[in-house]
Amino acid sequence: MASISPLERHAFLLRRLHSLTGIAPIGLFLVSHLLTNSSIVWGLMDSRKAVHGHGGVATFQHEVDFIHSIPFLLIIEVFGLWLPIAFHAALGVYYARSGKANTARYAYQSNWRYRLQRISGYVGILFIFYHVATLRWGWTFLVPGGATWSGEAAASTMALALQGAETGITGAGLAVSIAYMLGVSLLVFHFANGLWTAAITWGVTVSAPAQRRWGFVCAGIGAGMMLMAWSAVIGFATLDVKEARGTEQSLQTGHTPGPQIAETLPQLMPAAASGGH
Amino acid sequence: MTSTHTQAHASAAARKAAANRVNAKPGRKVFVRILRCDGPGQPSRWETFSVTIERGANVISCLQQIAANPITSDGTRSTPVVWDSGCLEEVCGACTMVINGKVRQSCSCLIDDHAPTEGDTITLEPMSKFPVVRDLWVDRSRLFHNLKRVKAWVPIDGTYALGPGPSESAESQEQRYVMSTCMSCGCCLEACPQFNVEPDPAAWDTAFVGAHALNQARLFNQHETGRRMKGERLDALMGTGGVNDCGNAQNCVKVCPKLIPLTESIAVIGRATTIHAFARWFSGK
Amino acid sequence: MTQHRVIVVGGGLAGLAASIRIAEAGLPVDLFSLVPVKRSHSVCAQGGINACNEVARQQGYSEYEHFDETIYGGDFLADQHPVLEMANWAPKIIDLLDRMGVPFNRTAEGRRDLRLFGGSLFKRTHFAGATTGQQLIYALDEQTRRYESEEKVTKYEYWEFLWPVIEEGRCVGIVAQDMRTMQIRSFRADAVVMATGGCGLVFGKSTNSIICNGAAAARCYQAGVWYGNPEMIQVHPTAIPGADKLRLMSESARGEGGRVWVPRTPRDTRAPKDIPEPERFYFLEEKYPAYGNIVPRDIATREIFDICVNQGMGVGGDNQVYLDLSHKDPEYLTKKLGGILEIYEKFVGVDPRFEPMKIFPAVHYSMGGLWTQFTKGTYNPVEPRVKHKSGAPAPIGSDLGQGLQPGAPNNMMTNVPGLYAFGELNFAYHGANRLGANALLSCIFDGLFCGVSVANYIRNDAPSKSPSCDLPASAFDRVVEQENAKSKRLLDTVSTGDPDPATNPYIIGKELGDEMTAACTVVREDARLGQCLQRLDALKERYTRLKLADDSPWSNQSFTYARAVGDMLAIAEAVALGARGRQESRGAHYRTDFTERDDANFMKSTVARYNAQTRTSSVTFEPIDASLILPTVRTYGKKDAATGPKPPASAVATNA
């Protein structure tokens, strides 16, 4: 008998770990991350935050500060996030290579989802790498306008990284924003569809009706996450950088904003909120 | 219950076919375009034959006409087309091929449904997931090999008269009967993006086993005596090429001519392997 | 140490049952089949498998009555002893299949469900949905695969049997050809079991699979094996006319309450639903009040034929009658007959649950086949008994070994020692007519019961002293050369001149089928059979000038077919000769010029022998052992039984 590789010896364990890591920690992180980032929009609805200026900016800053207050963050990040993602991505590519899409002949919806799951995986890997490299590792040469994201000025630097310039969105900024839109959409699909297939893999949903019902639930989860993802990208891509900076400074100094800012709030809110749709 | 969706799907296609059938007239000429290949390693080529359609004609009767008179539509003398067939009643599975881009049995493929008017073309190709023997005849040995992988049998103590088998509820019999109508035609494999051509038999044991074999594993795991080998079957299906290689494209269940709930069988095996793995983990073996 | 081997040719129910039993007896088996065995023609059997069971037994039924029904159904031409043994084994065979996991339909309590079938007043037919044959062969296929994985059985699929190797007066192997590589080679064996089924393709379109051409039987026949009752060809009363074949509509459609009728007004143009009850002619029910629509096949066939061909009452003036299930609950029909109704809908495009089916008879089963012997069992009454009264206590118990001596080496052995014939290929069980749901039984019974005989023959007879592996190679090489020469002659015809329909193998095959269907099916008559024999001679002559369209040395299917046509001609001649020689009417064999059964002269087996020198057949009639049951008139309680159906002498059967 030929010697078998560890990949083959532990085939089942690896397959199930691949499935599991997609849900937890990666999927759970994705949900919380989108929740944090979409606070740039839903934060506008928190009137307590509005005292500092842009409620979304303030809420987002608050969320970021909370995350940065977690002890041993780097260790958690490496072992709870980067390694699982690397594991999920590497195995995912390995597994995906065994298939050959045939949607041209069998254009069933489930077959398209099969294909999209693999495409979204590949694109997702590139997107996550870009996302982490530019915003976490400071590979600013890849950022339009060369902005560096900073935890202290979370919203404004994020907006700058998407838009490319303080003066408003540039061509490169638009391209990056669209890429972000696409990237997060595919990742959300990947997660929601992965949740659906995981239920079959683990044998939770067995009958066709059960699979269909769980499909609706996954679609609902996906739709909710898609809303958060788009809110976040559009929220940052359309954020007024200068105003965001004002809010962030106000948060840092503990100053309540001047009356003129408070007066402008009612006009700002609907504008920002509508951008989140 | 579980195949309602598939049945609805099938009946929509049947309605369209019936509509075509009404307009079709016997005696018309249609073209049969065939992807031919002289043998393994030989190049493929297209040949088109013109066939006169009699009442109730199917792909088989067209191929029979061509065999008797193998002259292409441009008047060139060719050779009879080679194809695999048996019962011609869609119970043996032999005559499976790719017709107008989709896999199915050629015996149950009525020309009136697919080429209802004069001069229509119907396209025949061999299945792409198995090595071609010649023309439309493919070698499906791997399909049968995979039934050995999942030990698709009941381990009886020989053929001596040892009394009746286990009693079974009518409900279980109905479930098992549907699963047991699988005729090893290979439609589910042809349509599966995870099952791909593998001419080397040495690689068969680690390549994807396929929906048909997973369904057979479920069938025998559900039988009172067959269940005694459940562990062995699940062990085999937990390895490379086992149930986890399924990508849930679910084409299998849509192309299955016998409406077998294949995706349900896959999920049942998924659940069984989950439980089996935990049991094994905690039992310390 | 001597390694004995057994060859089984044919992977249907009989071949697989034999392989399993022989492998179990410790002899390695080489299993040859034209197709992957799972695709054998047995899959087409729809209705069920007969056996006495507890419910029927408590209502008065018995194994003995099953035996009596089978002999009566076969019009007293079957070998009585093997049928008795088969009937006694039947319940055990059902149990075995049950253990193998066959999903037999179940009652609410979880017991095996039963249905009514032709030729019996008791429910004695076990079934698995509407594809019983498929389910049975799958169970045997699975067990064979198990033995294959344990290396007790070696499969040669897509290998065609070409000729038996007969040396020292016994069969010691075969020559076969790989249908892919076209390699011809010999295989040694100490016994060869032929289980290659029927010969429906000799009649052109039939209910048989495309592989049932009878070529393997014909090759044995031409090599010196006798052929028994060749003229006994069952025409199934209910088939669906089709362009490529005639698809069976199972007898279970009648068993589940299907009613056969035609409009009382010939060429009535109304839709069947619009024809009121009094204007429908339920001719089977009116003529046979006791059995009604479930009269045996030969009677149903002739009555339908009579209504259409002689009385011109076929639906729409065509050769077709209604088989009506539309009065039954659609849900019930789906559950009980789903598979077969699906076939009708699939191939005709009409849902038989709501509209009556249109059907006509088609060639279905060969009761005849290679002639076989047996050793009688322990039941040998001083005088044969009179026909058993249905429901009366059985005169004997169902102990095994009463009909046949278990393990006797000559059980189902042909006249050539070491060459056995099992299943449909065996002529022994069904006489002049086979009862529905008895075929699956006889196939499995042969394999299981006589498999032991094969093992005993090898261990106690000639092979034990002179095993085939010790024989000189020349015996085998000679047959390989013969087959190589035959194939070279055919392949060499490709390069000669332009194609001509007269020498086209497909056209010769089609004309053979048309002629045999016209002259040798539902009704037969001396002059027409004489004409048929002349036409067969003409076809044989054309066959010698045969011209192939393909000389490829690889997977040459048209060559394979062309070679088989020559063998089909030999079988056809035996059928026509038997039909002409048997100057009486019996079972499926109906002579318009001899309408009565003639027990004095013809309660005998037809034995066809082939003369290799003159390349011609001849038939003789040899006595059968009818020492168990006394023949009676076979009427199935028909009203006014004396007259009988009377098709005219000019009638010609068509199955299109």
Side-chain angles (χ1 to χ4, degrees):
Chain A
M1 181 86 199
S3 66
I4 52 169
S5 68
L7 270 178
E8 284 180 16
R9 191 174 314 122
H10 303 294
F12 186 78
L13 181 69
L14 289 172
R15 280 280 187 177
R16 290 299 165 96
L17 278 178
H18 179 247
S19 173
L20 190 66
T21 49
I23 298 167
I26 303 171
L28 287 181
F29 169 76
L30 181 66
V31 174
S32 75
H33 191 51
L34 291 179
L35 202 60
T36 305
N37 291 5
S38 59
S39 67
I40 194 67
V41 172
W42 59 258
L44 291 170
M45 284 172 265
D46 187 347
S47 56
R48 289 169 304 171
K49 292 291 187 316
V51 292
H52 293 289
H54 189 291
V57 173
T59 311
F60 182 60
Q61 188 62 50
H62 179 81
E63 299 285 316
V64 171
D65 289 346
F66 165 74
I67 290 166
H68 284 183
S69 72
I70 297 172
F72 310 112
L73 185 61
L74 185 66
I75 293 170
I76 293 173
E77 220 174 1
V78 170
F79 290 99
L81 208 53
W82 293 353
L83 281 180
I85 290 175
F87 172 82
H88 188 85
L91 272 185
V93 169
Y94 174 72
Y95 294 148
R97 280 190 347 187
S98 67
K100 234 183 195 166
N102 58 5
T103 44
R105 290 210 147 162
Y106 303 97
Y108 308 123
Q109 183 245 32
S110 54
N111 198 23
W112 267 110
R113 279 192 282 111
Y114 164 90
R115 187 171 193 182
L116 213 50
Q117 187 72 359
R118 277 135 191 87
I119 293 172
S120 62
Y122 288 127
V123 175
I125 291 169
L126 297 178
F127 173 70
I128 291 169
F129 181 79
Y130 175 81
H131 181 62
V132 174
T134 52
L135 302 184
R136 184 71 182 76
W137 301 339
W139 292 16
T140 52
F141 61 95
L142 290 174
V143 183
T148 308
W149 184 73
S150 145
E152 281 76 46
S156 59
T157 49
M158 181 65 227
L160 206 54
L162 279 186
Q163 296 177 19
E166 280 186 35
T167 48
I169 199 152
T170 62
L174 188 66
V176 168
S177 298
I178 290 171
Y180 256 82
M181 201 63 182
L182 194 72
V184 292
S185 301
L186 286 173
L187 282 178
V188 166
F189 167 82
H190 191 88
F191 174 67
N193 191 54
L195 212 51
W196 181 76
T197 59
I200 300 171
T201 303
W202 291 82
V204 177
T205 52
V206 168
S207 71
Q211 290 177 12
R212 200 158 48 247
R213 284 193 290 267
W214 177 239
F216 290 131
V217 174
C218 293
I221 293 170
M225 289 173 68
M226 208 63 97
L227 189 70
M228 291 198 287
W230 291 353
S231 308
V233 175
I234 294 169
F236 285 117
T238 57
L239 188 67
D240 184 324
V241 176
K242 283 181 195 144
E243 188 211 338
R245 206 168 274 157
T247 307
E248 283 157 4
Q249 277 160 5
S250 148
L251 284 165
Q252 275 167 3
T253 55
H255 270 262
T256 50
Q260 72 277 29
I261 296 172
E263 275 162 31
T264 56
L265 261 179
Q267 287 97 41
L268 269 172
M269 268 189 70
S274 69
H277 283 296
Chain B
M1 172 195 84
T2 48
S3 56
T4 0
H5 177 73
T6 335
Q7 268 160 356
H9 177 84
S11 73
R15 271 197 299 278
K16 190 182 161 225
N20 277 347
R21 214 177 281 155
V22 172
N23 302 319
K25 286 188 185 64
R28 69 186 187 282
K29 276 206 159 58
V30 303
F31 295 105
V32 183
R33 189 167 167 263
I34 303 170
L35 186 62
R36 302 197 58 179
C37 172
D38 289 337
Q42 304 286 317
S44 293
R45 63 181 190 280
W46 288 99
E47 272 182 13
T48 303
F49 298 87
S50 158
V51 173
T52 307
I53 299 304
E54 52 181 316
R55 197 178 293 279
N58 56 6
V59 167
I60 298 285
S61 67
C62 292
L63 287 170
Q64 285 172 340
Q65 265 195 53
I66 294 168
N69 186 26
I71 294 175
T72 65
S73 55
D74 57 13
T76 316
R77 197 181 302 164
S78 185
T79 50
V81 176
V82 173
W83 82 99
D84 200 1
S85 66
C87 72
L88 311 188
E89 291 176 10
E90 212 191 63
V91 282
C92 83
C95 68
T96 311
M97 56 183 75
V98 177
I99 302 175
N100 287 350
K102 285 211 165 56
V103 68
R104 60 168 301 159
Q105 277 70 55
S106 51
C107 65
S108 59
C109 184
L110 301 183
I111 303 299
D112 287 357
D113 295 351
H114 291 84
T117 47
E118 174 84 25
D120 279 352
T121 298
I122 189 157
T123 304
L124 312 180
E125 295 164 76
M127 294 168 90
S128 64
K129 302 296 176 74
F130 301 98
V132 172
V133 177
R134 190 177 168 189
D135 295 341
L136 300 170
W137 180 13
V138 295
D139 178 1
R140 279 172 279 186
S141 308
R142 180 179 163 201
L143 186 160
F144 293 108
H145 174 87
N146 286 351
L147 296 180
K148 283 187 209 156
R149 277 171 77 183
V150 299
K151 299 186 164 54
W153 54 75
V154 174
I156 57 164
D157 296 339
T159 57
Y160 296 91
L162 300 174
S167 144
E168 181 178 27
S169 71
E171 190 195 3
S172 169
Q173 182 272 340
E174 277 164 34
Q175 279 185 358
R176 284 204 311 119
Y177 175 69
V178 175
M179 288 189 260
S180 186
T181 56
C182 171
M183 54 188 180
S184 300
C185 66
C187 282
C188 58
L189 306 176
E190 176 68 16
C192 175
Q194 289 292 106
F195 189 95
N196 290 298
V197 69
E198 179 54 76
D200 177 16
W204 289 351
D205 278 335
T206 49
F208 183 40
V209 70
H212 76 298
L214 293 166
N215 176 66
Q216 290 290 309
R218 178 191 177 202
L219 169 66
F220 288 97
N221 283 353
Q222 192 172 322
H223 185 266
E224 196 64 37
T225 318
R227 183 171 298 156
R228 302 195 186 140
M229 293 172 78
K230 189 174 177 179
E232 287 173 63
R233 289 191 196 101
L234 295 179
D235 284 343
L237 290 175
M238 284 164 67
T240 309
V243 63
N244 287 314
D245 280 38
C246 168
N248 295 299
Q250 301 204 333
N251 296 346
C252 52
V253 76
K254 298 191 181 72
V255 297
C256 176
K258 296 290 138 188
L259 308 179
I260 299 169
L262 293 168
T263 47
E264 192 174 298
S265 294
I266 292 168
V268 167
I269 295 296
R271 176 181 285 183
T273 51
T274 304
I275 295 167
H276 185 63
F278 276 109
R280 207 165 54 173
W281 173 276
F282 287 109
S283 75
K285 278 183 203 154
Chain C
M1 198 199 114
T2 306
Q3 181 62 52
H4 291 296
R5 293 193 82 81
V6 176
I7 282 176
V8 175
V9 184
L13 282 175
L16 294 184
S19 300
I20 293 167
R21 181 43 75 84
I22 293 167
E24 245 176 47
L27 290 162
V29 174
D30 294 316
L31 175 57
F32 289 78
S33 173
L34 292 174
V35 292
V37 295
K38 197 177 178 177
R39 309 201 195 288
S40 300
H41 178 62
S42 303
V43 294
C44 288
Q46 298 170 348
I49 174 166
N50 292 334
C52 182
N53 55 85
E54 280 317 304
V55 176
R57 194 189 303 283
Q58 288 169 39
Q59 293 167 347
Y61 194 67
S62 59
E63 282 87 350
Y64 186 85
E65 185 165 347
H66 182 192
F67 156 61
D68 185 85
E69 283 167 356
T70 306
I71 296 296
Y72 181 70
D75 223 349
F76 302 93
L77 196 62
D79 281 334
Q80 299 191 350
H81 292 83
V83 175
L84 175 63
E85 194 65 23
M86 175 176 81
N88 285 344
W89 269 84
K92 297 188 164 41
I93 286 173
I94 302 292
D95 279 348
L96 171 64
L97 293 166
D98 195 11
R99 281 169 52 220
M100 286 179 179
V102 172
F104 283 117
N105 276 46
R106 298 283 162 169
T107 63
E109 198 187 319
R111 295 173 192 281
R112 293 181 299 240
D113 203 0
L114 298 157
R115 66 160 52 130
L116 199 58
F117 234 66
S120 184
L121 299 171
F122 292 92
K123 284 191 176 183
R124 51 135 162 76
T125 304
H126 303 72
F127 61 105
T131 57
T132 309
Q134 180 196 44
Q135 293 306 308
L136 299 197
I137 195 172
Y138 287 2
L140 294 183
D141 172 65
E142 288 146 11
Q143 295 301 324
T144 308
R145 186 166 292 106
R146 177 184 171 202
Y147 283 149
E148 192 191 7
S149 73
E150 294 170 10
E151 294 175 351
K152 294 173 179 166
V153 173
T154 310
K155 278 187 195 156
Y156 292 86
E157 291 170 330
Y158 293 118
W159 277 78
E160 185 178 13
F161 166 84
L162 297 184
W163 209 262
V165 179
I166 298 171
E167 185 70 9
E168 296 180 353
R170 63 190 167 102
C171 185
V172 292
I174 66 166
V175 168
Q177 181 171 36
D178 185 327
M179 294 161 75
R180 292 151 298 191
T181 64
M182 306 306 277
Q183 180 204 9
I184 293 176
R185 58 160 287 203
S186 63
F187 294 83
R188 289 165 187 254
D190 296 289
V192 173
V193 175
M194 298 298 297
T196 53
C199 60
L201 247 69
V202 168
F203 296 82
K205 284 193 270 185
S206 73
T207 66
N208 285 189
S209 294
I210 214 83
I211 46 178
C212 303
N213 54 24
R219 288 164 192 162
C220 291
Y221 173 60
Q222 293 167 95
V225 181
W226 303 346
Y227 201 99
N229 298 339
E231 72 278 20
M232 293 305 174
I233 298 291
Q234 183 169 70
V235 179
H236 195 285
T238 57
I240 314 161
D244 53 337
K245 81 169 286 190
L246 310 171
R247 294 177 177 85
L248 182 74
M249 179 43 59
S250 168
E251 190 168 312
S252 54
R254 290 189 287 143
E256 291 294 349
R259 303 178 77 188
V260 178
W261 62 278
V262 289
R264 285 198 187 273
T265 323
R267 293 170 193 273
D268 195 322
T269 51
R270 287 174 293 177
K273 275 224 145 80
D274 300 334
I275 301 177
E277 222 27 47
E279 292 177 46
R280 298 176 176 194
F281 183 22
Y282 294 98
F283 52 96
L284 291 179
E285 293 173 30
E286 288 187 19
K287 284 188 179 170
Y288 302 89
Y291 284 81
N293 293 293
I294 54 164
V295 288
R297 294 178 174 177
D298 58 321
I299 294 178
T301 298
R302 271 199 298 280
E303 293 293 350
I304 293 170
F305 188 84
D306 181 54
I307 283 282
C308 294
V309 179
N310 304 328
Q311 305 187 32
M313 289 180 75
V315 175
D318 292 330
N319 279 342
Q320 49 190 11
V321 300
Y322 287 127
L323 173 55
D324 197 349
L325 281 162
S326 61
H327 55 285
K328 306 283 284 188
D329 173 30
E331 288 266 307
Y332 175 83
L333 292 175
T334 308
K335 202 171 148 197
K336 286 290 173 83
L337 300 171
I340 61 167
L341 301 186
E342 204 182 282
I343 288 181
Y344 189 86
E345 193 174 1
K346 196 164 272 166
F347 291 96
V348 183
V350 170
D351 187 344
R353 290 172 305 168
F354 303 103
E355 208 174 302
M357 296 178 273
K358 291 176 188 164
I359 53 95
F360 196 69
V363 167
H364 182 51
Y365 191 86
S366 321
M367 278 76 70
L370 297 185
W371 180 89
T372 50
Q373 333 164 44
F374 57 89
T375 301
K376 283 197 262 184
T378 55
Y379 175 58
N380 286 295
V382 183
E383 279 192 333
R385 278 176 199 279
V386 294
K387 173 153 177 41
H388 184 70
K389 189 170 172 298
S390 182
I396 55 167
S398 58
D399 293 344
L400 305 181
Q402 290 182 102
L404 295 179
Q405 187 189 99
N410 76 339
N411 283 339
M412 303 312 145
M413 186 191 272
T414 65
N415 58 307
V416 176
L419 185 63
Y420 291 80
F422 290 1
E424 187 173 350
L425 181 67
N426 181 359
F427 93 124
Y429 299 99
H430 307 295
N433 178 52
R434 175 178 67 82
L435 290 188
N438 257 357
L440 299 181
L441 178 61
S442 63
C443 288
I444 299 175
F445 172 72
D446 260 350
L448 293 181
F449 185 84
C450 306
V452 183
S453 299
V454 175
N456 287 344
Y457 162 74
I458 290 176
R459 289 185 173 138
N460 303 326
D461 271 335
S464 65
K465 292 163 210 106
S466 163
S468 68
C469 56
D470 294 345
L471 294 172
S474 57
F476 298 89
D477 295 344
R478 203 164 48 235
V479 184
V480 171
E481 272 161 37
Q482 166 200 315
E483 291 305 314
N484 274 327
K486 201 187 282 177
S487 83
K488 184 174 183 309
R489 189 187 74 73
L490 284 172
L491 291 170
D492 283 350
T493 61
V494 175
S495 49
T496 56
D498 278 332
D500 172 7
T503 58
N504 183 322
Y506 293 94
I507 291 174
I508 294 177
K510 187 183 180 305
E511 288 182 24
L512 167 68
D514 291 346
E515 177 61 15
M516 291 301 288
T517 300
C520 292
T521 52
V522 182
V523 288
R524 297 155 171 190
E525 183 259 330
D526 186 71
R528 183 66 186 85
L529 287 164
Q531 187 185 31
C532 172
L533 283 162
Q534 280 174 6
R535 288 186 183 165
L536 288 178
D537 280 341
L539 287 172
K540 273 173 152 181
E541 187 280 322
R542 275 165 60 188
Y543 184 77
T544 60
R545 294 183 283 122
L546 186 100
K547 194 169 149 29
L548 279 181
D550 183 8
D551 60 358
S552 169
W554 179 266
S555 310
N556 192 335
Q557 213 170 43
S558 55
F559 158 77
T560 302
Y561 175 76
R563 181 173 49 196
V565 169
D567 300 306
M568 285 153 67
L569 282 163
I571 287 278
E573 189 177 56
V575 172
L577 276 174
R580 198 179 191 197
R582 187 175 281 281
Q583 297 181 335
E584 62 156 356
S585 289
R586 183 185 294 272
H589 172 71
Y590 187 80
R591 284 281 295 258
T592 53
D593 42 358
F594 298 93
T595 56
E596 299 301 317
R597 199 174 78 192
D598 177 358
D599 287 343
N601 293 309
F602 291 106
M603 205 167 97
K604 291 175 178 174
S605 296
T606 317
V607 179
R609 295 179 180 83
Y610 186 80
N611 185 326
Q613 265 75 52
T614 60
R615 292 172 186 259
T616 50
S617 296
S618 60
V619 298
T620 55
F621 292 89
E622 320 244 331
I624 57 169
D625 186 334
S627 56
L628 306 186
I629 301 180
L630 206 59
T632 50
V633 185
R634 183 169 167 271
T635 61
Y636 282 96
K638 188 190 178 187
K639 275 187 180 172
D640 187 21
T643 53
K646 276 199 173 61
S650 62
V652 166
T654 55
N655 286 307

